[in-house]
Amino acid sequence: MKLHEYQSKQIFAKYGVPIPKGRVAATAAEARQIAEELGGRVVVKAQVLVGGRGKAGGIKLAKTPEEAEERATEILAMKLKGLPVRKVLIDEAANIAKEIYLGITNDRAARKPVMMASAEGGVEIEEVARTMPEKIIKIHIDPLLGLRGYQTRDLALGIDLPKEHWKAFSKVCFGLWEAYQKSDATLAEINPLVITDEGEILAVDGKMIIDDNALFRHPDLAEMRDLDVEAPEETEARKYGLSYIKLDGNIGCMVNGAGLAMTTMDVIKLYGGEPANFLDIGGGANAEKVAAAFRIILSEPNVKAVLINIFGGITRGDEVARGILAAMEEVKPQVPMVARIVGTNAEEGRRLLANANMITAETLVEAAQKAVAAAKGGAQ
Amino acid sequence: MSILVNKDTRVVVQGITGREGMFHTTQMVAYGTNVVAGVTPGKGGQWVLDDKIPVFDTVKKAVETTGANTSVIFVPARFAADAIFEAADAGVELIVCITEGIPVQDMMRVRAYLDQKGSRLVGPNCPGLLTPGEAKVGIIPGNIAIPGNVGVVSRSGTLTYEVLYAMKLLGIGATTTVGIGGDPINGTSFLDALKMFEEDPQTEKVVLIGEIGGTDEQKAAQYIADHMTKPVVGFIAGQTAPPGKRMGHAGAIVEGGEGTAAEKIEALEKAGVKVAKHPEEIAHILKDL
Ligand SMILES: Nc1ncnc2c1ncn2[C@@H]1O[C@H](COP(=O)(O)OP(=O)(O)OP(=O)(O)O)[C@@H](O)[C@H]1O
Ligand SMILES: [Mg+2]
């Protein structure tokens, strides 16, 4: 789950990372008021969960409260990379002497957190990573030991940070590490971490991604979820413990197991169709879950056929079929349904479904071919 | 022969009195697995499954009393890391964690600790292990596979069942099936399993079922190219998955253009692996090998 800049920076501040004075506003009038309170120059910053806001025109300097109001009016009317701007952050403008990059993420291959710093911070960091990877200094953190002081000095040396800033930099590193660890983040990033003309260190941008699997122990963070970034069906699916991702095709899919669900999409494509979604109903195809899955799949008007692929395993095939029939009773789908059930008593399951006018198949390839044909309105 | 588990494996089930734990213990015992103990904190002293299996409060007690050498974990995600630490601390050699949804930072600590202790972990978020005809430790349905000479290693659950079943329909059996799990940080990797299959005299061919996300398959491909003498058949799920989205498994996400199906398939094919277009084709390729 991604957090907004203002949310991320509040968390950083809690762990001792200095951030500019500022507040978030939902209207231009509020923006003006905050600018008045802050006095002096401010930055008006779009709060949307996409990268590259500055380059896309979502970050503007304002010298007066009137200007802040004008910039906020403009930015609040924008869409950045398809997402509406609903809030702006009004921050005191810093007098920037230098921009540094500092971030922590999970290094999957090393199975450890990695902390990264670069003297070339700012909006071009992706370009730096691509063309001059040696300019990004990395240290791995032992998950049992945590960040150690000498490691922050390794980073400071690596980015040629003047010695007078080491102490403050080290404090920021520890603050970021704590924020990452205590929030179960998979990414905690400050870009840029600036050194001001006055010689202070300040995190002017902040980004965090929280591990969805850890939200059970962070109810306060779970509440920060911004529903704008996901399709409403994805939100609905989460309520039922379904894993759903909307795609562009016209063949709806309902599958048990993530790997098999991806494979079902792949096989549909292999036989000339386009999947309309990824949907993993997880273990146990009970009627309630299946009905929710049907509703979510069919809420997409593009869907011209649905492919159900359930590998029963220990669950009996006829039980799965009864669950599907009960759900059909409730949802009454109007498009052709192709079902493939494997497992104990699968023949009985297929017979039950065929009696209910469903198209049945024995193998995945056969099911995919039938679904593709049905979606094209062809022979069954 | 087989790898990791066989008829002599002595299994302790962590979370045995829970719904999942009880159900799958019944299935494991029915398959012939030697389940010697269960653990549920606070329920020590009880007996389950027609009073055949003793329940202990701690893994340590279970191991001391019954000589269990393998644990299988069915506890909820929020307690799962602790359960793994406990098993490792009690000296259990092989820990199979079925639980899905363990926070990734928990798993980083678990891995660091296990590397010190020397216990092997399979999973988490996995279907476990099956040595057909001998033992199943986990949740793989026993009736979908037959004994044979193919080693199977996979990141997925039901997709693995699909492959085992397609193999069975053609009369092809498995030595052992290893579900390594769909999480970004896990215990046993493809590489570890391939090494074990390469050394196992009864395994003659190997099936590797990967998916998008991470670089584990690419590392496996390197090992296959450099060291494997046995033929490997591969499959990669997620060719049509959009980047940046988590496809059910926490580990199945293409990040920054890395971990795509295309690059994995290319790496495997370069290493001489025959990559199937769909799961049923795996069985046909095996038959012709
Ligand atoms: N409070 C501030 N004072 C002065 N300059 C600022 C301030 N905030 C941002 N800037 C300038 O604007 C640039 C872009 O801002 P910021 O890093 O917050 O957004 P971004 O990186 O473009 O957005 P994203 O994080 O979405 O990629 C900074 O590199 C910095 O030069
Ligand atoms: Mg930035």
Side-chain angles (χ1 to χ4, degrees):
Chain A
M1 182 185 88
K2 290 182 183 169
L3 296 186
H4 284 293
E5 176 196 355
Y6 76 96
Q7 297 167 327
S8 308
K9 288 202 307 207
Q10 272 159 17
I11 294 172
F12 294 167
K14 204 167 99 186
Y15 296 104
V17 176
I19 60 169
K21 278 206 198 86
R23 256 186 19 239
V24 78
T27 65
E30 262 181 86
R32 179 190 181 123
Q33 200 198 325
I34 296 168
E36 272 164 9
E37 286 167 24
L38 291 173
R41 297 182 313 144
V42 297
V43 194
V44 182
K45 309 181 79 176
Q47 299 298 292
V48 273
L49 295 174
V50 294
R53 294 165 303 159
K55 284 188 176 176
I59 293 177
K60 290 276 159 59
L61 187 76
K63 293 197 198 69
T64 63
E66 292 71 38
E67 258 185 59
E69 183 171 7
E70 282 166 33
R71 297 293 91 77
T73 308
E74 291 157 18
I75 293 175
L76 283 167
M78 284 181 181
K79 272 192 167 187
L80 292 186
K81 302 185 182 168
L83 289 177
V85 181
R86 301 204 196 277
K87 284 181 178 149
V88 286
L89 175 64
I90 312 299
D91 262 0
E92 227 168 44
N95 302 312
I96 299 177
K98 183 165 182 49
E99 303 200 355
I100 295 167
Y101 172 91
L102 185 69
I104 308 183
T105 188
N106 301 336
D107 184 338
R108 185 170 172 164
R111 305 187 193 93
K112 289 185 172 92
V114 60
M115 192 171 232
M116 296 169 287
S118 175
E120 315 286 326
V123 293
E124 302 295 345
I125 190 70
E126 278 87 5
E127 188 60 17
V128 174
R130 216 169 48 76
T131 56
M132 300 179 283
E134 73 283 356
K135 296 258 181 195
I136 297 180
I137 312 298
K138 298 183 178 180
I139 52 155
H140 283 100
I141 300 172
D142 184 319
L144 299 176
L145 279 180
L147 180 70
R148 314 304 304 180
Y150 72 89
Q151 296 184 301
T152 69
R153 293 188 288 277
D154 278 346
L155 288 176
L157 262 179
I159 63 169
D160 290 325
L161 189 72
K163 288 216 165 66
E164 69 257 34
H165 300 304
W166 281 20
K167 213 171 147 197
F169 177 74
S170 178
K171 191 165 173 251
V172 171
C173 290
F174 275 102
L176 190 65
W177 162 249
E178 263 196 80
Y180 160 90
Q181 206 189 18
K182 300 237 165 90
S183 316
D184 270 297
T186 58
L187 173 81
E189 186 181 82
I190 303 171
N191 184 36
L193 177 69
V194 305
I195 297 178
T196 63
D197 293 340
E198 299 79 25
E200 275 170 331
I201 278 195
L202 207 54
V204 304
D205 189 11
K207 189 173 290 178
M208 283 186 100
I209 304 178
I210 309 296
D211 180 1
D212 285 304
N213 285 344
L215 287 176
F216 68 83
R217 56 189 173 206
H218 305 287
D220 49 330
L221 298 179
E223 273 180 26
M224 293 182 181
R225 188 185 290 277
D226 181 341
L227 297 176
D228 276 345
V229 288
E230 59 185 16
E233 300 83 28
E234 293 175 15
T235 311
E236 177 75 5
R238 202 173 40 243
K239 272 205 312 225
Y240 288 91
L242 307 166
S243 179
Y244 170 89
I245 291 164
K246 190 176 143 22
L247 303 168
D248 296 331
N250 62 5
I251 300 176
C253 305
M254 187 184 89
V255 187
N256 66 333
L260 190 57
M262 279 189 270
T263 302
T264 303
M265 288 161 38
D266 294 348
V267 177
I268 287 174
K269 181 109 175 178
L270 186 65
Y271 287 93
E274 288 290 338
N277 64 276
F278 165 95
L279 194 153
D280 171 11
I281 58 162
N286 69 55
E288 193 200 356
K289 247 185 166 180
V290 176
F294 280 159
R295 277 195 303 271
I296 290 164
I297 293 170
L298 295 167
S299 68
E300 179 52 56
N302 266 349
V303 171
K304 297 285 182 289
V306 175
L307 197 170
I308 301 161
N309 185 18
I310 306 289
F311 201 106
I314 291 162
T315 324
R316 286 172 22 175
D318 53 328
E319 274 175 32
V320 174
R322 285 196 183 88
I324 292 172
L325 291 177
M328 300 247 298
E329 214 28 52
E330 192 202 315
V331 182
K332 300 197 172 36
Q334 301 298 312
V335 299
M337 310 281 281
V338 181
R340 169 184 184 248
I341 300 175
V342 186
T344 319
N345 279 6
E347 299 79 29
E348 171 68 5
R350 275 197 294 275
R351 199 186 55 75
L352 287 169
L353 295 177
N355 282 347
N357 273 329
M358 280 182 103
I359 306 164
T360 63
E362 277 184 51
T363 69
L364 176 52
V365 168
E366 183 193 344
Q369 286 171 329
K370 285 180 169 172
V372 172
K376 286 183 179 145
Q380 297 177 3
Chain B
M1 278 286 286
S2 57
I3 66 168
L4 295 169
V5 292
N6 59 34
K7 57 184 187 331
D8 299 322
T9 301
R10 300 174 65 79
V11 177
V12 51
V13 180
Q14 292 178 252
I16 193 167
T17 56
R19 201 170 58 91
E20 294 281 303
M22 201 64 248
F23 177 78
H24 289 292
T25 301
T26 310
Q27 299 281 330
M28 285 189 279
V29 170
Y31 194 75
T33 309
N34 190 15
V35 178
V36 297
V39 171
T40 299
K43 301 215 168 157
Q46 296 185 6
W47 290 74
V48 294
L49 231 81
D50 303 328
D51 291 344
K52 285 200 290 278
I53 300 173
V55 181
F56 299 86
D57 287 314
T58 66
V59 178
K60 195 164 166 224
K61 269 266 173 296
V63 169
E64 277 170 7
T65 315
T66 67
N69 59 7
T70 296
S71 115
V72 58
I73 296 175
F74 288 101
V75 310
R78 62 181 71 202
F79 309 118
D82 228 44
I84 301 173
F85 285 129
E86 184 183 355
D89 218 14
V92 174
E93 295 152 31
L94 175 63
I95 304 165
V96 181
C97 185
I98 308 302
T99 309
E100 178 177 356
I102 304 178
V104 63
Q105 289 198 21
D106 283 4
M107 279 313 301
M108 292 196 285
R109 287 185 282 266
V110 162
R111 267 307 301 242
Y113 188 69
L114 291 189
D115 289 348
Q116 293 174 7
K117 281 274 166 181
S119 297
R120 171 176 293 287
L121 174 69
V122 172
N125 188 14
C126 80
L129 302 163
L130 174 68
T131 295
E134 295 201 37
K136 79 163 187 155
V137 177
I139 62 175
I140 302 176
N143 59 351
I144 59 168
I146 52 176
N149 62 4
V150 180
V152 178
V153 57
S154 169
R155 264 167 78 178
S156 159
T158 46
L159 175 57
T160 315
Y161 308 169
E162 184 83 43
V163 173
L164 287 173
Y165 186 65
M167 285 165 54
K168 178 181 169 178
L169 291 181
L170 294 186
I172 304 167
T175 47
T176 300
T177 294
V178 185
I180 62 172
D183 276 4
I185 294 182
N186 59 6
T188 299
S189 65
F190 278 124
L191 189 62
D192 300 328
L194 289 179
K195 284 182 184 161
M196 288 185 267
F197 282 133
E198 175 69 13
E199 278 162 25
D200 173 44
Q202 205 188 322
T203 300
E204 290 172 15
K205 309 165 191 179
V206 176
V207 171
L208 181 155
I209 305 165
E211 62 188 33
I212 53 166
T215 52
D216 240 29
E217 289 83 352
Q218 291 87 319
K219 282 188 199 134
Q222 194 58 52
Y223 173 79
I224 293 167
D226 295 344
H227 301 288
M228 278 209 59
T229 59
K230 301 174 183 179
V232 181
V233 181
F235 179 75
I236 302 290
Q239 298 179 48
T240 48
K245 291 275 191 180
R246 161 176 157 165
M247 306 301 284
H249 285 159
I253 172 166
V254 174
E255 288 159 305
E258 198 179 81
T260 64
E263 78 192 48
K264 292 180 189 233
I265 290 170
E266 193 193 318
L268 288 170
E269 283 181 338
K270 260 208 193 124
V273 175
K274 290 199 168 64
V275 180
K277 287 191 200 59
H278 55 81
E280 286 145 5
E281 199 188 22
I282 295 174
H284 289 279
I285 297 176
L286 282 171
K287 192 155 183 97
D288 296 337
L289 269 180

